[in-house]
Structure formats: structure tokens, C-alpha cells
Amino acid sequence: MILSLFSRKAKANEAITIALYDAIVAAARQPYFYSDLEVPDSPLGRYEMLSLHVFLFVRRIKGRTPALKSIGQEVTDEFFRDVDHSLRELGIGDSGVPKRMKKLARMFYGRIESYDKALENNDHPALVAALARNVRPDNENWSGATALADYVGQVVQQLESQPDDVLASGKVIFPDASAREAP
């Protein structure tokens, strides 16, 4: 009997995590990023957009309720499970996955640091530079960086307007990137 109580709670938490992660993935896959902003529509380009959106969600819930803290960790874990699965789908063998996962994890946490610092200091030029450096390292004058930084500002505002209890229930709404307003 007691095990069934834990099982139901675990399934509810899993459903919340999956719902949130699915919304994050949908936000990261908006065609606008790849067509209008010229984010590379490649595994690395999709990783950049997904890691940006995971970061923005986790940043929003950081330091809030214990339930949200747990959800943040679960969403991050789901992100890395998804990345692992994607590497395997790309044909990377079992022996190569751990090495690549370590590299991608370092990339993710490095990006978190640079994006978070820019947002904390309200430093739009630093955010633009970090996005350009990470998303389009091949293009020194990437014009989409400013628009993407503006979108990030809009996401931060929109996520902040969503109540903790709504987020904890598994519902998150990201803005439509193609309908951006100035932050």
C-alpha cells in the first residue's frame, strides 16, 4: 500500500516534468529561430536553443519553493537524458557518448554562467555577445544575436509573470518568437 502512494507521486511528478519539458522543447523549436534568425538547423543549433530555454526556465524557478527546486532538477535531468538519447540516435556509440555528454554538460553550465551574469547585470550587449559566441561562433557579425537577446528579455518577463503554483502544476508558456515586442 505505501509503495503505491510513492508510485502515484512519482508518476505525477514525471507527468509535470514531461509537460514542462515538452513546452520548453516546443519553444526552442520555433521555426522563427531557424528561418529568420538563422540559427543553424543542425543538432548543435537545436542544442543551443534547447539549452537556452532550459536555462531560462530553471533561472525563473531558482530559489523559489522546494517543489519548484525539485522540478528544476528534474527538468535539467530530462534535458540531459534527451541529449544522451539524441547522441545515440545520431549513431554515436556507447563508448563515445559519455565523453560527448561531459563536453555538452560543460558547454551548458558555461552558457548558464554567461547568460545569467548578463541578465543579472541587465547587460544587453554582454547577452548579445554571449549568444553570438555560442549560437553562431562561425559568424562574427551574426545579425540575429540582437533579436535573440530581445526575445530572451521577453521570455524572462513572461516567465516571471507566471505564478509559481501554475509552473509547479506543469504549465509554462513561452512567447511566440515571431511576434516579439521590445522588452
Side-chain angles (χ1 to χ4, degrees), residues 43-159:
L44 194 53
R46 290 187 293 274
Y47 168 83
E48 291 296 344
M49 295 311 299
L50 185 54
S51 63
L52 174 64
H53 284 82
V54 168
F55 156 71
L56 291 168
F57 175 77
V58 171
R59 181 181 187 274
R60 160 55 180 89
I61 64 174
K62 182 180 174 185
R64 304 292 174 121
T65 67
L68 285 177
K69 181 178 179 183
S70 174
I71 288 170
Q73 184 59 57
E74 290 171 15
V75 166
T76 303
D77 292 347
E78 185 63 28
F79 167 65
F80 283 110
R81 276 191 295 275
D82 188 25
V83 170
D84 180 279
H85 178 76
S86 295
L87 289 173
R88 292 173 193 282
E89 279 189 343
L90 289 170
I92 295 170
D94 288 342
S95 62
V97 170
K99 181 179 173 182
R100 287 200 169 86
M101 286 299 295
K102 284 181 186 177
K103 180 180 180 182
L104 291 169
R106 278 194 309 272
M107 288 170 57
F108 177 72
Y109 290 110
R111 281 149 177 72
I112 283 178
E113 188 176 329
S114 63
Y115 298 156
D116 197 41
K117 184 177 179 183
L119 289 170
E120 283 298 313
N121 295 327
N122 200 22
D123 189 346
H124 195 262
L127 181 60
V128 170
L131 290 166
R133 179 177 61 249
N134 296 323
V135 177
R136 290 299 306 262
D138 61 323
N139 186 344
E140 210 172 284
N141 300 312
W142 178 44
S143 62
T146 300
L148 185 55
D150 292 345
Y151 168 79
V152 166
Q154 187 181 358
V155 171
V156 168
Q157 290 176 355
Q158 185 162 332
L159 290 178

Side-chain angles (χ1 to χ4, degrees), residues 152-175:
V152 166
Q154 187 181 358
V155 171
V156 168
Q157 290 176 355
Q158 185 162 332
L159 290 178
E160 197 56 47
S161 73
Q162 296 173 50
D164 288 352
D165 60 328
V166 172
L167 295 172
S169 75
K171 295 180 183 93
V172 62
I173 299 170
F174 286 86

